[in-house]
Amino acid sequence: PPKQLIVVTPTYNRAFQAYYLNRLAQVLALVPPPVLWIVVEMKSTAAETAGLLRKTGVPFRHLVCNRNMTDVKDRGVHQRNAALDHIQSHQLDGIVYFADDDNIYTLELFHRLREIRRFGTWPVAMLAPSKNKAILEGAICNASQVIGWHTNEKSKKLRRFHVDMSGFAFNSAILWDPKRWKRSTGTPIRQLDSVREGFQETTFIEQLVEDESQMEGILPGCATIMNWHLHLESFKQRYPKGWFLQKDLSAV
Ligand code: UDP
């Protein structure tokens, strides 16, 4: 049987929330089952989100995270950890993927996730703010072997693995059965840490795999872009001066 995909999405209320969640839901609805969408909000679940999730037809769990965000660099971190807790405590078997609500995903990406045995990674396209152009971040591969990393941001050069949050997925069993996966530490996992911005992914991945030899480059040669992380919200100038945006554009 096809492997279950466990898609983890932190979300919060802002003008484009309904637009983002609908867009993601519509891709997930096209993915053959079994798919489980874990959507995590802060403090309380919103009725609008619950309504949207019910309408998608995708099996979902709607969770709340009670830990407060104390720093802007922690965007989504505690929510993803709440989902990891849920996956571990219920031993949900599948491929775990952190899919932020605002990214764009191809259907092919979700098909490819099912090929992952242990830990899969691939390059993600993003915009480099200072360079006004699209760049890649993530694996450079020879067939499915990861042999290097695309990285363009000076401040992040010291990272062990140059992977975006939306550029990797892993078998959930690594969370509770490290020995089977030959992880030397042998301790069960673990969470995303609240560390320096840009280092969250590598700090987490270093707990899942020892090195590149335990990674699977997804799609031969990692030569196809399957998702985009464009940070368009940070382009405030996109809105004409004086425009007013409501917090929630799901209803009038
Ligand atoms: N997020 C959240 N609460 C916040 C800020 C962000 O739930 O206060 C979610 C957001 O909906 C997205 C993810 O965390 O799914 C990453 O947020 P963002 O896109 O702002 O971070 P960036 O991609 O710029 O690092």
Side-chain angles (χ1 to χ4, degrees), residues 75 102-103 126-127 129 164 228-235:
R75 291 188 306 271
D102 55 332
N103 297 338
M126 48 184 66
L127 290 179
D164 184 67
W228 294 261
H229 181 175
L230 299 180
H231 302 277
L232 291 181
E233 258 174 321
S234 57
F235 289 76

Side-chain angles (χ1 to χ4, degrees), residues 10-12 14 69 75-76 79-80 100-102 229 231:
T11 188
Y12 70 113
R14 68 248 200 242
M69 190 172 82
R75 291 188 306 271
Q79 286 141 284
R80 293 189 197 98
D100 287 351
D101 58 4
D102 55 332
H229 181 175
H231 302 277

